Amino acid sequence: TTGATNPSYAHVIQPMMNAKIEWNDTAYKAGCLVQVTTLPATNDCEFFVGIGAYSLTGNTFVRTVNHAGFYGKREAGVWNLYASQGNGTTGELSAVLTTLASGDLLELFYVGNGGTQTDFYWNKNSGTISSATTLTTNDPLTTDKNDNLQGFAGNNSTAASVVIAVGCSFFNRG
């Protein structure tokens, strides 16, 4: 839950004991269930669930860090879900995967394929699992190691609260 001030953000970190994620050197599978509890009817609010360290610096969301996961943002009055990854310098977003509303239950998972691409899959409200959305550029760097799954919600310039609940996270190497 973010505070109703601006800027405001909240992190939920789930450390993986004795399991360092080493980008690009092996295949991996990761995912989580996300209950989208409250999505405010204002722009400038965002959330991320995945591996990596999204953050808010001043009034700017930092999406260039090494990460792979799913990103939600309200734009032009509509909440959208994207696949997202970054290599420490540049971040990449997919086309819109689906629209979101308060109360949606998301099953989000992704497969890293040895450092050449990441395949993203999603399911909303127990519907059909999507086909793969593949991102092939700005894959996370081999030199970075990050040992956590993260949920991040924030607002960068609007006093509003974003509430998501992240549960049942998993990571599998190989």
Side-chain angles (χ1 to χ4, degrees), residues 30-96:
C32 59
L33 294 176
V34 176
Q35 176 72 55
V36 179
T37 305
T38 303
L39 295 176
T42 182
N43 291 336
D44 298 326
C45 295
E46 305 179 27
F47 71 86
F48 170 77
V49 290
I51 301 167
Y54 253 54
S55 63
L56 182 65
T57 300
N59 283 355
T60 304
F61 287 96
V62 180
R63 292 192 307 265
T64 58
V65 295
N66 286 314
H67 74 279
F70 290 86
Y71 170 71
K73 180 179 172 115
R74 188 168 192 275
E75 305 166 292
V78 177
W79 273 93
N80 295 313
L81 182 69
Y82 300 88
S84 177
Q85 68 182 19
N87 63 9
T89 303
T90 305
E92 177 182 15
L93 292 178
S94 67
V96 173

Short mmCIF file of all heavy atoms in Angstrom, two decimals, residues 30-96:
data_model
loop_
_atom_site.label_atom_id
_atom_site.label_comp_id
_atom_site.label_asym_id
_atom_site.label_seq_id
_atom_site.Cartn_x
_atom_site.Cartn_y
_atom_site.Cartn_z
N ALA A 30 9.95 -18.03 -12.84
CA ALA A 30 9.52 -17.30 -11.66
C ALA A 30 8.09 -16.82 -11.87
O ALA A 30 7.63 -16.71 -13.01
CB ALA A 30 10.44 -16.11 -11.40
N GLY A 31 7.42 -16.56 -10.78
CA GLY A 31 6.06 -16.06 -10.90
C GLY A 31 5.45 -15.79 -9.55
O GLY A 31 6.05 -16.00 -8.49
N CYS A 32 4.19 -15.31 -9.58
CA CYS A 32 3.48 -15.00 -8.36
C CYS A 32 2.00 -14.80 -8.65
O CYS A 32 1.60 -14.62 -9.80
CB CYS A 32 4.05 -13.77 -7.68
SG CYS A 32 3.98 -12.29 -8.70
N LEU A 33 1.22 -14.81 -7.59
CA LEU A 33 -0.18 -14.41 -7.65
C LEU A 33 -0.26 -12.99 -7.12
O LEU A 33 0.39 -12.66 -6.12
CB LEU A 33 -1.05 -15.32 -6.80
CG LEU A 33 -1.18 -16.76 -7.25
CD1 LEU A 33 -2.01 -17.56 -6.25
CD2 LEU A 33 -1.80 -16.84 -8.63
N VAL A 34 -1.06 -12.15 -7.75
CA VAL A 34 -1.21 -10.77 -7.32
C VAL A 34 -2.69 -10.43 -7.26
O VAL A 34 -3.41 -10.58 -8.25
CB VAL A 34 -0.51 -9.79 -8.30
CG1 VAL A 34 -0.76 -8.35 -7.88
CG2 VAL A 34 0.98 -10.08 -8.37
N GLN A 35 -3.13 -9.98 -6.09
CA GLN A 35 -4.48 -9.45 -5.94
C GLN A 35 -4.38 -7.94 -6.08
O GLN A 35 -3.69 -7.30 -5.30
CB GLN A 35 -5.08 -9.80 -4.58
CG GLN A 35 -6.44 -9.19 -4.33
CD GLN A 35 -7.53 -9.84 -5.16
OE1 GLN A 35 -7.70 -11.05 -5.12
NE2 GLN A 35 -8.27 -9.06 -5.92
N VAL A 36 -5.01 -7.40 -7.10
CA VAL A 36 -5.03 -5.96 -7.32
C VAL A 36 -6.18 -5.42 -6.48
O VAL A 36 -7.33 -5.52 -6.88
CB VAL A 36 -5.21 -5.62 -8.81
CG1 VAL A 36 -5.23 -4.12 -9.01
CG2 VAL A 36 -4.11 -6.26 -9.64
N THR A 37 -5.86 -4.89 -5.31
CA THR A 37 -6.90 -4.49 -4.36
C THR A 37 -7.46 -3.11 -4.68
O THR A 37 -8.66 -2.93 -4.81
CB THR A 37 -6.33 -4.53 -2.93
OG1 THR A 37 -5.81 -5.84 -2.70
CG2 THR A 37 -7.41 -4.23 -1.91
N THR A 38 -6.58 -2.11 -4.79
CA THR A 38 -7.02 -0.75 -5.05
C THR A 38 -6.17 -0.12 -6.14
O THR A 38 -4.96 -0.02 -6.00
CB THR A 38 -6.92 0.13 -3.78
OG1 THR A 38 -7.67 -0.48 -2.74
CG2 THR A 38 -7.42 1.54 -4.05
N LEU A 39 -6.81 0.28 -7.22
CA LEU A 39 -6.15 1.04 -8.29
C LEU A 39 -6.86 2.39 -8.37
O LEU A 39 -8.01 2.46 -8.76
CB LEU A 39 -6.25 0.30 -9.62
CG LEU A 39 -5.51 -1.03 -9.71
CD1 LEU A 39 -5.79 -1.69 -11.06
CD2 LEU A 39 -4.02 -0.84 -9.51
N PRO A 40 -6.17 3.44 -7.98
CA PRO A 40 -6.83 4.75 -7.95
C PRO A 40 -7.15 5.27 -9.35
O PRO A 40 -6.52 4.91 -10.33
CB PRO A 40 -5.81 5.65 -7.26
CG PRO A 40 -4.50 4.98 -7.46
CD PRO A 40 -4.78 3.52 -7.55
N ALA A 41 -8.15 6.12 -9.40
CA ALA A 41 -8.58 6.72 -10.67
C ALA A 41 -7.80 8.00 -10.93
O ALA A 41 -8.37 9.07 -11.14
CB ALA A 41 -10.08 6.99 -10.63
N THR A 42 -6.47 7.87 -10.90
CA THR A 42 -5.61 9.01 -11.19
C THR A 42 -4.35 8.50 -11.89
O THR A 42 -3.91 7.38 -11.63
CB THR A 42 -5.24 9.79 -9.90
OG1 THR A 42 -4.44 10.91 -10.25
CG2 THR A 42 -4.50 8.93 -8.92
N ASN A 43 -3.82 9.27 -12.80
CA ASN A 43 -2.58 8.88 -13.48
C ASN A 43 -1.40 9.06 -12.52
O ASN A 43 -1.57 9.49 -11.40
CB ASN A 43 -2.38 9.70 -14.75
CG ASN A 43 -3.42 9.33 -15.81
OD1 ASN A 43 -3.97 8.22 -15.81
ND2 ASN A 43 -3.69 10.25 -16.71
N ASP A 44 -0.20 8.72 -12.96
CA ASP A 44 1.04 8.84 -12.18
C ASP A 44 1.16 7.80 -11.08
O ASP A 44 1.93 7.99 -10.15
CB ASP A 44 1.21 10.23 -11.57
CG ASP A 44 1.30 11.30 -12.64
OD1 ASP A 44 1.86 11.01 -13.71
OD2 ASP A 44 0.81 12.42 -12.41
N CYS A 45 0.42 6.71 -11.16
CA CYS A 45 0.55 5.62 -10.20
C CYS A 45 1.02 4.38 -10.96
O CYS A 45 0.62 4.15 -12.10
CB CYS A 45 -0.78 5.32 -9.51
SG CYS A 45 -1.37 6.68 -8.49
N GLU A 46 1.88 3.57 -10.31
CA GLU A 46 2.47 2.42 -10.98
C GLU A 46 2.70 1.30 -9.98
O GLU A 46 2.73 1.54 -8.78
CB GLU A 46 3.81 2.79 -11.62
CG GLU A 46 3.74 3.97 -12.55
CD GLU A 46 5.08 4.37 -13.16
OE1 GLU A 46 5.95 3.51 -13.30
OE2 GLU A 46 5.22 5.55 -13.49
N PHE A 47 2.90 0.06 -10.49
CA PHE A 47 3.34 -1.03 -9.64
C PHE A 47 4.19 -1.99 -10.46
O PHE A 47 4.12 -2.02 -11.69
CB PHE A 47 2.18 -1.76 -8.95
CG PHE A 47 1.31 -2.59 -9.84
CD1 PHE A 47 1.65 -3.91 -10.15
CD2 PHE A 47 0.13 -2.07 -10.36
CE1 PHE A 47 0.83 -4.68 -10.97
CE2 PHE A 47 -0.68 -2.84 -11.16
CZ PHE A 47 -0.33 -4.15 -11.48
N PHE A 48 5.03 -2.78 -9.77
CA PHE A 48 5.89 -3.77 -10.39
C PHE A 48 5.91 -5.01 -9.50
O PHE A 48 5.96 -4.89 -8.27
CB PHE A 48 7.31 -3.23 -10.52
CG PHE A 48 8.32 -4.27 -10.94
CD1 PHE A 48 8.40 -4.68 -12.26
CD2 PHE A 48 9.17 -4.84 -10.01
CE1 PHE A 48 9.32 -5.65 -12.64
CE2 PHE A 48 10.09 -5.81 -10.38
CZ PHE A 48 10.16 -6.21 -11.71
N VAL A 49 5.86 -6.19 -10.11
CA VAL A 49 6.10 -7.44 -9.40
C VAL A 49 7.06 -8.27 -10.24
O VAL A 49 6.88 -8.41 -11.45
CB VAL A 49 4.80 -8.23 -9.10
CG1 VAL A 49 3.99 -7.53 -8.04
CG2 VAL A 49 3.98 -8.45 -10.34
N GLY A 50 8.13 -8.76 -9.62
CA GLY A 50 9.11 -9.55 -10.36
C GLY A 50 10.42 -9.63 -9.62
O GLY A 50 10.48 -9.43 -8.41
N ILE A 51 11.47 -9.92 -10.36
CA ILE A 51 12.82 -10.01 -9.82
C ILE A 51 13.51 -8.69 -10.13
O ILE A 51 13.51 -8.24 -11.27
CB ILE A 51 13.61 -11.16 -10.47
CG1 ILE A 51 12.89 -12.49 -10.25
CG2 ILE A 51 15.03 -11.23 -9.93
CD1 ILE A 51 13.43 -13.61 -11.11
N GLY A 52 14.11 -8.08 -9.14
CA GLY A 52 14.85 -6.84 -9.39
C GLY A 52 14.45 -5.75 -8.45
O GLY A 52 13.68 -5.96 -7.52
N ALA A 53 14.94 -4.56 -8.69
CA ALA A 53 14.81 -3.48 -7.71
C ALA A 53 14.24 -2.21 -8.32
O ALA A 53 14.89 -1.19 -8.38
CB ALA A 53 16.18 -3.20 -7.09
N TYR A 54 13.01 -2.26 -8.81
CA TYR A 54 12.32 -1.03 -9.21
C TYR A 54 12.38 -0.05 -8.05
O TYR A 54 12.36 -0.46 -6.88
CB TYR A 54 10.85 -1.33 -9.49
CG TYR A 54 10.43 -1.34 -10.93
CD1 TYR A 54 11.08 -2.12 -11.86
CD2 TYR A 54 9.36 -0.57 -11.35
CE1 TYR A 54 10.67 -2.15 -13.17
CE2 TYR A 54 8.94 -0.60 -12.66
CZ TYR A 54 9.59 -1.38 -13.57
OH TYR A 54 9.18 -1.41 -14.86
N SER A 55 12.38 1.22 -8.33
CA SER A 55 12.38 2.19 -7.24
C SER A 55 11.83 3.51 -7.72
O SER A 55 11.53 3.69 -8.90
CB SER A 55 13.80 2.38 -6.70
OG SER A 55 14.64 2.92 -7.70
N LEU A 56 11.70 4.43 -6.79
CA LEU A 56 11.24 5.78 -7.08
C LEU A 56 12.33 6.72 -6.62
O LEU A 56 12.74 6.70 -5.46
CB LEU A 56 9.94 6.06 -6.33
CG LEU A 56 9.28 7.40 -6.54
CD1 LEU A 56 8.81 7.56 -7.98
CD2 LEU A 56 8.09 7.55 -5.60
N THR A 57 12.87 7.52 -7.54
CA THR A 57 13.90 8.51 -7.21
C THR A 57 13.29 9.89 -7.45
O THR A 57 12.99 10.23 -8.59
CB THR A 57 15.15 8.32 -8.08
OG1 THR A 57 15.66 7.00 -7.86
CG2 THR A 57 16.21 9.34 -7.74
N GLY A 58 13.08 10.62 -6.36
CA GLY A 58 12.37 11.89 -6.50
C GLY A 58 10.97 11.61 -6.99
O GLY A 58 10.24 10.84 -6.39
N ASN A 59 10.60 12.19 -8.12
CA ASN A 59 9.29 11.94 -8.72
C ASN A 59 9.40 11.07 -9.96
O ASN A 59 8.54 11.12 -10.83
CB ASN A 59 8.61 13.26 -9.09
CG ASN A 59 8.03 13.95 -7.87
OD1 ASN A 59 8.06 13.42 -6.78
ND2 ASN A 59 7.50 15.14 -8.06
N THR A 60 10.46 10.26 -10.08
CA THR A 60 10.68 9.46 -11.29
C THR A 60 10.80 7.98 -10.94
O THR A 60 11.61 7.61 -10.08
CB THR A 60 11.96 9.91 -12.00
OG1 THR A 60 11.86 11.31 -12.28
CG2 THR A 60 12.16 9.16 -13.31
N PHE A 61 10.02 7.14 -11.60
CA PHE A 61 10.16 5.70 -11.44
C PHE A 61 11.39 5.24 -12.20
O PHE A 61 11.63 5.65 -13.33
CB PHE A 61 8.93 4.97 -11.98
CG PHE A 61 7.73 5.13 -11.09
CD1 PHE A 61 6.78 6.09 -11.36
CD2 PHE A 61 7.58 4.33 -9.97
CE1 PHE A 61 5.69 6.25 -10.55
CE2 PHE A 61 6.48 4.48 -9.15
CZ PHE A 61 5.53 5.44 -9.43
N VAL A 62 12.20 4.37 -11.58
CA VAL A 62 13.43 3.87 -12.18
C VAL A 62 13.16 2.47 -12.72
O VAL A 62 13.03 1.51 -11.96
CB VAL A 62 14.59 3.86 -11.16
CG1 VAL A 62 15.86 3.35 -11.81
CG2 VAL A 62 14.80 5.26 -10.59
N ARG A 63 13.06 2.35 -14.05
CA ARG A 63 12.77 1.07 -14.70
C ARG A 63 13.97 0.57 -15.48
O ARG A 63 13.85 -0.38 -16.24
CB ARG A 63 11.58 1.21 -15.65
CG ARG A 63 10.27 1.46 -14.96
CD ARG A 63 9.11 1.29 -15.91
NE ARG A 63 9.23 2.07 -17.11
CZ ARG A 63 8.70 3.28 -17.31
NH1 ARG A 63 8.02 3.85 -16.36
NH2 ARG A 63 8.86 3.89 -18.46
N THR A 64 15.12 1.16 -15.31
CA THR A 64 16.30 0.75 -16.07
C THR A 64 17.16 -0.25 -15.31
O THR A 64 18.06 -0.84 -15.89
CB THR A 64 17.16 1.97 -16.43
OG1 THR A 64 17.53 2.65 -15.23
CG2 THR A 64 16.41 2.91 -17.35
N VAL A 65 16.91 -0.46 -14.03
CA VAL A 65 17.70 -1.39 -13.23
C VAL A 65 17.54 -2.82 -13.76
O VAL A 65 16.60 -3.11 -14.50
CB VAL A 65 17.28 -1.34 -11.74
CG1 VAL A 65 17.59 0.02 -11.14
CG2 VAL A 65 15.81 -1.69 -11.58
N ASN A 66 18.46 -3.71 -13.41
CA ASN A 66 18.33 -5.12 -13.79
C ASN A 66 17.06 -5.68 -13.17
O ASN A 66 16.92 -5.71 -11.95
CB ASN A 66 19.54 -5.91 -13.30
CG ASN A 66 20.76 -5.62 -14.12
OD1 ASN A 66 20.72 -5.61 -15.34
ND2 ASN A 66 21.87 -5.39 -13.44
N HIS A 67 16.14 -6.11 -14.03
CA HIS A 67 14.88 -6.65 -13.53
C HIS A 67 14.17 -7.43 -14.64
O HIS A 67 14.46 -7.26 -15.82
CB HIS A 67 13.95 -5.53 -13.04
CG HIS A 67 13.34 -4.73 -14.16
ND1 HIS A 67 14.03 -3.73 -14.80
CD2 HIS A 67 12.13 -4.83 -14.76
CE1 HIS A 67 13.25 -3.22 -15.76
NE2 HIS A 67 12.10 -3.87 -15.76
N ALA A 68 13.23 -8.26 -14.23
CA ALA A 68 12.31 -8.93 -15.15
C ALA A 68 11.03 -9.17 -14.38
O ALA A 68 11.07 -9.65 -13.25
CB ALA A 68 12.88 -10.24 -15.67
N GLY A 69 9.91 -8.79 -14.96
CA GLY A 69 8.64 -8.98 -14.26
C GLY A 69 7.51 -8.27 -14.98
O GLY A 69 7.54 -8.06 -16.19
N PHE A 70 6.51 -7.88 -14.20
CA PHE A 70 5.31 -7.25 -14.75
C PHE A 70 5.12 -5.87 -14.14
O PHE A 70 5.35 -5.66 -12.96
CB PHE A 70 4.09 -8.13 -14.46
CG PHE A 70 4.09 -9.40 -15.26
CD1 PHE A 70 4.77 -10.52 -14.80
CD2 PHE A 70 3.43 -9.46 -16.48
CE1 PHE A 70 4.79 -11.69 -15.54
CE2 PHE A 70 3.45 -10.63 -17.23
CZ PHE A 70 4.12 -11.75 -16.76
N TYR A 71 4.65 -4.96 -14.97
CA TYR A 71 4.54 -3.55 -14.63
C TYR A 71 3.13 -3.08 -14.92
O TYR A 71 2.59 -3.34 -16.00
CB TYR A 71 5.57 -2.80 -15.48
CG TYR A 71 5.49 -1.31 -15.48
CD1 TYR A 71 5.85 -0.58 -14.35
CD2 TYR A 71 5.07 -0.62 -16.60
CE1 TYR A 71 5.81 0.80 -14.37
CE2 TYR A 71 5.03 0.76 -16.63
CZ TYR A 71 5.39 1.46 -15.51
OH TYR A 71 5.35 2.82 -15.53
N GLY A 72 2.51 -2.41 -13.95
CA GLY A 72 1.18 -1.85 -14.14
C GLY A 72 1.24 -0.34 -14.05
O GLY A 72 1.95 0.21 -13.21
N LYS A 73 0.49 0.34 -14.92
CA LYS A 73 0.49 1.80 -14.94
C LYS A 73 -0.86 2.31 -15.44
O LYS A 73 -1.44 1.74 -16.34
CB LYS A 73 1.60 2.33 -15.84
CG LYS A 73 1.66 3.85 -15.89
CD LYS A 73 2.78 4.36 -16.75
CE LYS A 73 2.65 5.85 -16.91
NZ LYS A 73 3.71 6.60 -16.34
N ARG A 74 -1.30 3.40 -14.84
CA ARG A 74 -2.52 4.05 -15.31
C ARG A 74 -2.14 5.14 -16.29
O ARG A 74 -1.35 6.03 -15.98
CB ARG A 74 -3.31 4.66 -14.16
CG ARG A 74 -4.67 5.16 -14.60
CD ARG A 74 -5.53 5.48 -13.39
NE ARG A 74 -6.91 5.69 -13.75
CZ ARG A 74 -7.40 6.86 -14.16
NH1 ARG A 74 -6.60 7.91 -14.27
NH2 ARG A 74 -8.67 6.99 -14.45
N GLU A 75 -2.68 5.04 -17.50
CA GLU A 75 -2.40 6.01 -18.57
C GLU A 75 -3.71 6.36 -19.26
O GLU A 75 -4.49 5.47 -19.59
CB GLU A 75 -1.46 5.39 -19.61
CG GLU A 75 -0.17 4.87 -19.02
CD GLU A 75 0.58 3.98 -19.99
OE1 GLU A 75 0.08 2.88 -20.29
OE2 GLU A 75 1.64 4.41 -20.44
N ALA A 76 -3.93 7.64 -19.47
CA ALA A 76 -5.12 8.11 -20.19
C ALA A 76 -6.39 7.50 -19.62
O ALA A 76 -7.29 7.10 -20.35
CB ALA A 76 -4.99 7.83 -21.68
N GLY A 77 -6.45 7.39 -18.29
CA GLY A 77 -7.65 6.91 -17.64
C GLY A 77 -7.82 5.41 -17.57
O GLY A 77 -8.84 4.92 -17.11
N VAL A 78 -6.83 4.62 -18.03
CA VAL A 78 -6.94 3.17 -18.05
C VAL A 78 -5.70 2.55 -17.39
O VAL A 78 -4.58 2.95 -17.69
CB VAL A 78 -7.06 2.65 -19.51
CG1 VAL A 78 -7.10 1.14 -19.55
CG2 VAL A 78 -8.28 3.24 -20.19
N TRP A 79 -5.91 1.56 -16.52
CA TRP A 79 -4.80 0.80 -15.94
C TRP A 79 -4.40 -0.30 -16.92
O TRP A 79 -5.25 -1.07 -17.38
CB TRP A 79 -5.21 0.17 -14.61
CG TRP A 79 -5.00 1.10 -13.45
CD1 TRP A 79 -5.91 1.95 -12.91
CD2 TRP A 79 -3.80 1.26 -12.71
NE1 TRP A 79 -5.35 2.64 -11.87
CE2 TRP A 79 -4.05 2.23 -11.72
CE3 TRP A 79 -2.53 0.68 -12.78
CZ2 TRP A 79 -3.09 2.64 -10.81
CZ3 TRP A 79 -1.57 1.09 -11.86
CH2 TRP A 79 -1.85 2.06 -10.90
N ASN A 80 -3.12 -0.37 -17.26
CA ASN A 80 -2.59 -1.37 -18.21
C ASN A 80 -1.52 -2.22 -17.54
O ASN A 80 -0.80 -1.75 -16.66
CB ASN A 80 -1.97 -0.68 -19.43
CG ASN A 80 -3.00 0.07 -20.24
OD1 ASN A 80 -4.05 -0.45 -20.55
ND2 ASN A 80 -2.69 1.31 -20.59
N LEU A 81 -1.41 -3.46 -18.00
CA LEU A 81 -0.36 -4.37 -17.54
C LEU A 81 0.60 -4.63 -18.68
O LEU A 81 0.18 -4.86 -19.83
CB LEU A 81 -0.97 -5.70 -17.08
CG LEU A 81 0.02 -6.74 -16.53
CD1 LEU A 81 0.59 -6.27 -15.19
CD2 LEU A 81 -0.66 -8.10 -16.40
N TYR A 82 1.92 -4.60 -18.38
CA TYR A 82 2.99 -4.81 -19.35
C TYR A 82 3.96 -5.86 -18.83
O TYR A 82 4.13 -6.02 -17.63
CB TYR A 82 3.81 -3.53 -19.55
CG TYR A 82 3.06 -2.34 -20.04
CD1 TYR A 82 2.43 -1.47 -19.15
CD2 TYR A 82 2.98 -2.05 -21.40
CE1 TYR A 82 1.75 -0.36 -19.59
CE2 TYR A 82 2.30 -0.94 -21.86
CZ TYR A 82 1.67 -0.10 -20.95
OH TYR A 82 1.00 1.00 -21.40
N ALA A 83 4.68 -6.52 -19.74
CA ALA A 83 5.89 -7.26 -19.38
C ALA A 83 7.02 -6.23 -19.35
O ALA A 83 7.01 -5.28 -20.13
CB ALA A 83 6.19 -8.34 -20.41
N SER A 84 7.99 -6.41 -18.45
CA SER A 84 9.05 -5.42 -18.29
C SER A 84 10.37 -6.09 -17.97
O SER A 84 10.42 -7.05 -17.21
CB SER A 84 8.68 -4.46 -17.16
OG SER A 84 9.69 -3.51 -16.92
N GLN A 85 11.45 -5.59 -18.57
CA GLN A 85 12.79 -6.02 -18.18
C GLN A 85 13.76 -4.89 -18.44
O GLN A 85 13.49 -3.98 -19.22
CB GLN A 85 13.22 -7.30 -18.89
CG GLN A 85 13.45 -7.20 -20.38
CD GLN A 85 13.82 -8.55 -20.98
OE1 GLN A 85 13.59 -9.60 -20.40
NE2 GLN A 85 14.41 -8.51 -22.14
N GLY A 86 14.90 -4.93 -17.73
CA GLY A 86 15.91 -3.90 -17.90
C GLY A 86 17.29 -4.48 -17.65
O GLY A 86 17.44 -5.47 -16.94
N ASN A 87 18.31 -3.85 -18.25
CA ASN A 87 19.68 -4.38 -18.19
C ASN A 87 20.63 -3.50 -17.38
O ASN A 87 21.84 -3.63 -17.49
CB ASN A 87 20.23 -4.57 -19.59
CG ASN A 87 20.35 -3.27 -20.37
OD1 ASN A 87 20.17 -2.19 -19.82
ND2 ASN A 87 20.64 -3.37 -21.64
N GLY A 88 20.12 -2.60 -16.58
CA GLY A 88 20.98 -1.72 -15.80
C GLY A 88 21.18 -0.37 -16.47
O GLY A 88 21.58 0.59 -15.83
N THR A 89 20.89 -0.28 -17.76
CA THR A 89 21.00 0.97 -18.50
C THR A 89 19.69 1.36 -19.16
O THR A 89 19.28 2.51 -19.12
CB THR A 89 22.08 0.85 -19.60
OG1 THR A 89 23.31 0.47 -18.98
CG2 THR A 89 22.26 2.16 -20.34
N THR A 90 19.02 0.39 -19.77
CA THR A 90 17.80 0.64 -20.52
C THR A 90 16.72 -0.33 -20.09
O THR A 90 16.98 -1.51 -19.88
CB THR A 90 18.06 0.48 -22.03
OG1 THR A 90 19.15 1.32 -22.40
CG2 THR A 90 16.84 0.85 -22.85
N GLY A 91 15.49 0.16 -19.98
CA GLY A 91 14.35 -0.69 -19.67
C GLY A 91 13.51 -0.91 -20.91
O GLY A 91 13.53 -0.11 -21.84
N GLU A 92 12.79 -2.02 -20.95
CA GLU A 92 11.94 -2.35 -22.08
C GLU A 92 10.57 -2.77 -21.58
O GLU A 92 10.46 -3.53 -20.62
CB GLU A 92 12.56 -3.50 -22.88
CG GLU A 92 11.70 -3.97 -24.03
CD GLU A 92 12.30 -5.15 -24.79
OE1 GLU A 92 13.23 -5.80 -24.27
OE2 GLU A 92 11.81 -5.42 -25.88
N LEU A 93 9.52 -2.26 -22.21
CA LEU A 93 8.15 -2.67 -21.93
C LEU A 93 7.56 -3.32 -23.17
O LEU A 93 7.85 -2.91 -24.30
CB LEU A 93 7.28 -1.47 -21.57
CG LEU A 93 7.56 -0.75 -20.26
CD1 LEU A 93 6.62 0.44 -20.11
CD2 LEU A 93 7.42 -1.68 -19.08
N SER A 94 6.71 -4.31 -22.95
CA SER A 94 5.97 -4.92 -24.04
C SER A 94 4.83 -3.98 -24.46
O SER A 94 4.63 -2.93 -23.85
CB SER A 94 5.36 -6.25 -23.58
OG SER A 94 4.36 -6.01 -22.60
N ALA A 95 4.08 -4.40 -25.44
CA ALA A 95 2.80 -3.76 -25.71
C ALA A 95 1.88 -4.08 -24.54
O ALA A 95 2.17 -4.97 -23.71
CB ALA A 95 2.23 -4.29 -27.02
N VAL A 96 0.76 -3.40 -24.43
CA VAL A 96 -0.20 -3.67 -23.35
C VAL A 96 -0.65 -5.13 -23.42
O VAL A 96 -1.06 -5.62 -24.47
CB VAL A 96 -1.42 -2.73 -23.47
CG1 VAL A 96 -2.50 -3.12 -22.47
CG2 VAL A 96 -1.01 -1.28 -23.28
#
